[in-house]
Amino acid sequence: MILTEICSLTRTRQLPQLVCRQLRSKSHNAPAASTTVLSAADFPILLAKEQRERCMEKLRKLPAFPRPKSLTPNRHEKNSASVLIALCLERDTNEISLLYTRRSRHLRRHSLQISFPGGKRDETDTSFVDCALRETEEEIGLPRERIQIWGEANPIDLPRTATIVPVVGVVPDFHVSQLKLNWDEVEEAFSIPLNSLLTPSAARHTQFRTGYSGPVFVVDQHRIWGITGYLTYMFLRCLLPSSMLPSTLKTNIKFIRPYKVPPKLPHHHVEAKVE
C-alpha cells in the first residue's frame, strides 16, 4: 500500500475549496516498495535538456491513429484544438505531477469528464502553443509566464473530435492553490503524481463497440479515459526512458474486434391447449 497526495481545487456548494488529501492506492500484485517506479533522483533526469529533446522527438514522430473502418467522419473532425500537458514540479514534495481539469457540468459536450487544459484554436491564436497557453489561462488562471514550453507534438487525428496538438510545458514551484478556476468551463483542477499514474493498480483499459480499445488510468475517484487517457499513455511512453518504463506502459495499444450483437431469436407463439 502506498500513500499518494493529490491536490485538488474544486467547488463545494458554489464556493471554491482547496482539497489536499492523502489517498490510498492498493496493489494486489506487488508489495508497496515495488510500486514506486520513480525515485527522487529520477525527476531531475526527466527534466534535463537531453531527456526533454528525446521526449519531444518521440512526440513529433507519433504514428497516425489507426481509424476503425466502421467510423464515419463527422463535422467536429474539421476543427483543430490544442491541449497543455503540464509537468508540474510540486512545491511541497518536489515530485513531478501532471495537471488535469474536470470539465464543467454546464458544458454541452463531455461534461464532467477529465481532460487536459486546452480547447479549440481561435483565429487570433498565432500558433498551437499560443492556443494552449490562452485556454489554460482562461480555464484555470495559470499565467503563461509560469509555463516553460518544451514544444508541440505531432497533430493527432482522432475519430469524432477535432485534430489535437499536444503542447508540453513545465510549471516549476507549483501548488494547486495558485489556480483560479473559470467555473463556467471547469469544475475541478488537480495534479496527479507520475508515480500514481505508473502504479500497476492504476492501469485499466476500455473496449469500445466501434472496434478499438484504449488505456485508462484510475487514481482514487479520478478516472482518466478516452482521448485524455490516450494522450496520457502516449506522453508517458515518450517521456520515460526505457529503463524507467513500467510493464503497464510496455504494451502497445492494439485494436480488437468489435462487439457483435447477437441476432434476435424468432418469437414463437404457443397457444394453450383447451382440454
Side-chain angles (χ1 to χ4, degrees):
M1 180 180 297
I2 60 174
L3 291 178
T4 300
E5 184 180 80
I6 293 183
C7 289
S8 169
L9 188 63
T10 185
R11 176 170 57 180
T12 304
R13 297 181 181 179
Q14 306 303 318
L15 294 175
Q17 180 182 9
L18 175 65
V19 180
C20 292
R21 56 192 178 277
Q22 284 196 327
L23 310 172
R24 295 180 182 269
S25 299
K26 297 181 180 179
S27 174
H28 301 286
N29 301 322
S34 63
T35 57
T36 303
V37 180
L38 303 176
S39 67
D42 293 326
F43 298 129
I45 297 175
L46 295 179
L47 299 182
K49 180 181 178 180
E50 181 180 355
Q51 186 58 31
R52 177 187 67 194
E53 294 175 349
R54 184 180 294 111
C55 172
M56 294 310 302
E57 182 180 0
K58 290 181 179 180
L59 286 171
R60 294 187 182 107
K61 294 181 179 179
L62 286 178
F65 189 87
R67 184 189 186 90
K69 295 180 180 180
S70 59
L71 286 181
T72 56
N74 67 4
R75 59 185 178 86
H76 296 295
E77 296 178 17
K78 298 179 181 179
N79 300 323
S80 59
S82 182
V83 297
L84 176 68
I85 302 179
L87 290 158
C88 300
L89 191 57
E90 298 285 348
R91 176 189 300 170
D92 296 333
T93 63
N94 288 324
E95 287 193 60
I96 297 176
S97 61
L98 293 186
L99 180 61
Y100 295 94
T101 65
R102 188 185 299 277
R103 292 167 58 85
S104 170
R105 67 186 65 217
H106 304 298
L107 296 176
R108 294 182 179 180
R109 300 184 71 238
H110 309 299
S111 60
L112 292 178
Q113 291 190 12
I114 292 176
S115 65
F116 288 113
K120 184 178 177 182
R121 182 172 178 176
D122 290 345
E123 295 180 357
T124 57
D125 295 324
T126 58
S127 64
F128 285 107
V129 170
D130 189 38
C131 172
L133 294 176
R134 175 186 57 78
E135 286 283 349
T136 297
E137 191 162 8
E138 290 178 359
E139 291 179 356
I140 61 176
L142 183 62
R144 61 176 61 206
E145 295 81 14
R146 295 270 289 108
I147 306 169
Q148 301 171 0
I149 295 297
W150 280 11
E152 300 177 7
N154 199 37
I156 299 176
D157 297 310
L158 296 172
R160 306 293 175 88
T161 189
T163 296
I164 299 174
V165 177
V167 173
V168 181
V170 174
V171 184
D173 190 33
F174 175 81
H175 195 274
V176 73
S177 62
Q178 302 166 347
L179 306 180
K180 297 179 181 179
L181 305 191
N182 178 351
W183 302 115
D184 293 330
E185 297 188 37
V186 176
E187 193 88 5
E188 179 186 11
F190 56 94
S191 58
I192 300 183
L194 293 186
N195 270 324
S196 298
L197 294 168
L198 299 176
T199 56
S201 60
R204 313 287 175 85
H205 78 278
T206 295
Q207 178 177 340
F208 295 88
R209 290 180 179 270
T210 45
Y212 65 98
S213 59
V216 178
F217 299 86
V218 178
V219 181
D220 192 61
Q221 81 276 18
H222 300 294
R223 184 173 184 267
I224 303 168
W225 69 292
I227 296 172
T228 308
Y230 174 78
L231 291 176
T232 299
Y233 179 90
M234 298 306 297
F235 174 70
L236 291 176
R237 282 172 58 97
C238 295
L239 173 68
L240 299 176
S242 57
S243 60
M244 297 183 189
L245 274 180
S247 58
T248 53
L249 293 180
K250 290 182 180 179
T251 303
N252 290 324
I253 303 173
K254 294 183 179 180
F255 281 70
I256 54 178
R257 297 181 65 182
Y259 285 107
K260 289 186 178 180
V261 180
K264 293 184 179 180
L265 297 176
H267 179 71
H268 296 285
H269 179 70
V270 179
E271 296 183 357
K273 292 183 179 181
V274 180
E275 300 292 342

